[in-house]
Amino acid sequence: MLKQVLKIGLGVSVVASTLLAAPEKTKLKIGFIALTDCAPLVIAKEKGFFKAEGLDVHVAKEGGGWPGIQQKVINGEYDFSHALAGMPIAATLGINGNANLQALLSLDFNGNAITYGNDIIDKMKEYGLEETKRPVSAESLKKYIDAKRAKEGDNYQPLNFGMVHPVSTHNYELRYWMAGSGIKPDQDCTIKPFPPPTMPSNLIAGNIEGYCVGEPWNSRIVLKGKGSALVTNYDIWNNNPEKVLQARADFVEKYPETTKAVMRAVIKAQMWLDESWENREEAIGYLAQKNYVKAPKNVLRKSMSGTFLYNKGVDSANPMFNVFANYYASYPFYSHGMWFITQMYRWGQLDKPVDMKATIEKVYRPDLFEEVAKEVGYTLPPSAWKKDGVDEYNKFIDGKVWDPNKAVDYIYDFEVQNSLVSKEDLAAANKWSVETKQPAYVCPYGPAGCADEKYVTKK
């Protein structure tokens, strides 16, 4: 035990470790999708962080996409899983399964991109697209759609695009980007779900014009010369929440020490991933393996090593494309979770008014995270509630501010939206207020995932 703890060397003292309660259940199965942001789970397994907590964990690759992940968590086949940040919220609200699932921690920030095929990009160029401009807007796509509508009239054929799941960040990001230029996603185009690893093949086959997905499935198509990444989700919303570690609420209640042990191991892995770029390179080696992401190292390296490949042969520096621990990336902010509820209303996925604060406090667990964070030396933000879109490393592409105290106004404060609930009814169900506090930009764990080494505070 002492040797294991000393080997970890990530903030848990030998004395404190021996005082931690033993996990009630030690043999566990955790599901994941083949994406680079499964890295904390892979590293927790491969670097022995799960084992050091007394856990025997099988990290299982799910072939059925996000619906497969969700069903297996709900039916108990997976004890925990890699999950889209919106999934536990949706399941708890009964629109993506029907079970009280909880987001125990955030697995990462950023990590997605919107990639289009060469054919649609050529069309957009005719209407003013400048591929090298950053960030790219959807204005040229809007102009092309308008021209296509005028030409086809009543026989207009909507363009087809892909995302990974209806309540995914990807769906909301693609819609946010399009709607910012006046495109009406459910009228001007269709947006269909596909398992992430199948996105490149669906684009090449002509089933979709483009897609929003996590890495490495953007770099994959760019390196093949079949398309270009136009915009990343970092461009759309700097340092946005992407994936979470989820479990059933009744599992968490029944096995509290097991849950905390898993959380400790994953947080240690996240801290390790941001400790150095050398660690990231080691992680790339694990992710490339057949039982994990199964992608070439040079493809994985495009995003995991602090760059991003928008166009073939032109690497763009972005050390924050994948952030796992720095800038509170592990922390499950209530305000982040509530943003997903606003999108569910904006795009007509919820048809009844709910108390958004009560809902998110039932799903997100910053209270449990704070307990575990102290045991592993993870720095905590000043509050679980904050505004987004307010500073250099936390802004939206359209300049809007997300303030949870103005959540209802925020839903309807967009020219393009498709809410099925009236603003008055939703306001009547949300007569609360919270105190928000803004965290400073910090990188306590190392230079990987950090905007600039001047923010690194690790000694």
Side-chain angles (χ1 to χ4, degrees):
M1 175 67 178
L2 292 178
K3 287 181 180 179
Q4 289 173 333
V5 174
L6 288 169
K7 185 178 179 181
I8 292 168
L10 282 172
V12 182
S13 71
V14 175
V15 175
S17 296
T18 58
L19 294 176
L20 295 174
E24 304 90 352
K25 181 180 181 181
T26 57
K27 196 172 183 64
L28 302 169
K29 191 173 183 180
I30 301 179
F32 75 95
I33 297 290
L35 294 156
T36 55
D37 55 29
C38 73
L41 303 178
V42 172
I43 293 304
K45 172 71 174 181
E46 295 294 335
K47 296 297 290 183
F49 296 122
F50 284 137
K51 186 176 180 181
E53 294 289 343
L55 302 171
D56 177 11
V57 177
H58 173 42
V59 180
K61 180 157 67 172
E62 173 57 43
W66 293 114
I69 283 269
Q70 196 74 329
Q71 185 56 43
K72 289 177 182 178
V73 172
I74 290 173
N75 68 23
E77 185 174 339
Y78 292 147
D79 300 298
F80 301 85
S81 87
H82 181 209
L84 298 157
M87 281 170 51
I89 303 166
T92 301
L93 289 170
I95 63 171
N96 176 37
N98 190 8
N100 182 196
L101 303 184
Q102 294 187 333
L104 304 171
L105 53 81
S106 168
L107 286 171
D108 66 315
F109 283 166
N110 312 317
N112 301 336
I114 295 172
T115 293
Y116 279 10
N118 292 331
D119 289 346
I120 189 69
I121 287 175
D122 286 344
K123 296 284 196 312
M124 291 166 66
K125 284 180 179 177
E126 293 176 18
Y127 292 91
L129 172 66
E130 297 179 42
E131 279 185 277
T132 57
K133 184 180 178 181
R134 298 286 173 252
V136 170
S137 77
E139 184 178 352
S140 60
L141 181 63
K142 167 64 172 168
K143 291 178 180 178
Y144 170 60
I145 288 172
D146 288 346
K148 190 173 186 292
R149 272 192 179 280
K151 181 179 179 180
E152 296 176 5
D154 293 341
N155 296 317
Y156 174 71
Q157 294 296 310
L159 300 171
N160 297 313
F161 297 97
M163 49 77 183
V164 305
H165 194 277
V167 299
S168 66
T169 327
H170 316 72
N171 184 29
Y172 303 137
E173 288 162 354
L174 185 57
R175 289 167 176 270
Y176 198 109
W177 181 69
M178 287 180 169
S181 294
I183 297 170
K184 297 178 180 179
D186 299 310
Q187 298 174 34
D188 294 331
C189 61
T190 63
I191 301 177
K192 308 173 184 178
F194 297 90
T198 72
M199 290 291 192
S201 60
N202 274 289
L203 188 147
I204 291 170
N207 298 326
I208 48 179
E209 301 283 356
Y211 52 72
C212 184
V213 75
E215 278 294 278
W217 309 118
N218 299 287
S219 295
R220 191 71 161 161
I221 209 75
V222 176
L223 286 168
K224 283 179 177 290
K226 299 294 185 179
S228 297
L230 296 179
V231 63
T232 70
N233 64 335
Y234 181 84
D235 299 321
I236 296 167
W237 176 9
N238 299 171
N239 292 309
N240 66 92
E242 178 47 34
K243 304 297 192 306
V244 296
L245 178 70
Q246 74 171 1
R248 287 180 61 114
D250 55 2
F251 182 98
V252 174
E253 184 177 4
K254 184 177 181 180
Y255 303 111
E257 299 306 327
T258 296
T259 299
K260 287 188 282 187
V262 169
M263 292 173 68
R264 284 193 296 270
V266 174
I267 296 169
K268 290 172 190 174
Q270 291 176 286
M271 293 158 64
W272 182 90
L273 280 160
D274 281 1
E275 187 176 279
S276 69
W277 293 112
E278 289 76 18
N279 285 2
R280 289 287 187 94
E281 185 63 25
E282 184 178 346
I284 288 166
Y286 293 123
L287 291 171
Q289 294 175 12
K290 182 178 180 180
N291 56 320
Y292 293 128
V293 178
K294 192 186 174 183
K297 291 181 183 179
N298 69 308
V299 175
L300 294 164
R301 195 172 287 121
K302 291 300 178 184
S303 61
M304 283 286 284
S305 63
T307 62
F308 183 72
L309 189 69
Y310 287 97
N311 303 301
K312 190 173 183 179
V314 185
D315 287 333
S316 300
N318 186 352
M320 293 170 286
F321 187 83
N322 286 122
V323 186
F324 296 103
N326 282 323
Y327 193 31
Y328 311 108
S330 306
Y331 187 81
F333 287 95
Y334 282 141
S335 46
H336 278 171
M338 190 180 287
W339 184 86
F340 287 91
I341 304 179
T342 69
Q343 300 310 291
M344 292 173 193
Y345 276 115
R346 181 182 180 185
W347 300 113
Q349 294 175 321
L350 287 170
D351 59 5
K352 298 180 180 65
V354 301
D355 182 327
M356 291 185 279
K357 179 175 180 288
T359 298
I360 208 60
E361 289 177 345
K362 185 179 180 182
V363 178
Y364 274 45
R365 295 299 308 272
D367 56 329
L368 184 58
F369 184 93
E370 289 172 14
E371 180 182 341
V372 172
K374 293 171 184 175
E375 296 168 347
V376 299
Y378 188 87
T379 304
L380 294 169
S383 172
W385 296 100
K386 69 184 183 81
K387 298 175 186 177
D388 278 78
V390 296
D391 56 47
E392 182 181 1
Y393 297 115
N394 181 236
K395 58 190 175 186
F396 290 88
I397 194 170
D398 58 5
K400 287 188 180 292
V401 172
W402 158 235
D403 180 350
N405 285 305
K406 299 177 181 177
V408 175
D409 289 336
Y410 182 82
I411 295 165
Y412 302 91
D413 188 26
F414 289 91
E415 181 179 345
V416 180
Q417 53 97 7
N418 188 31
S419 178
L420 301 178
V421 179
S422 74
K423 183 175 181 179
E424 293 73 22
D425 287 347
L426 194 56
N430 289 274
K431 294 183 176 298
W432 43 262
S433 65
V434 296
E435 182 183 1
T436 62
K437 295 181 181 179
Q438 298 307 113
Y441 185 82
V442 290
C443 298
Y445 310 106
C450 187
D452 191 298
E453 290 204 19
K454 68 184 180 183
Y455 295 109
V456 178
T457 58
K458 183 173 181 176
K459 305 300 182 185

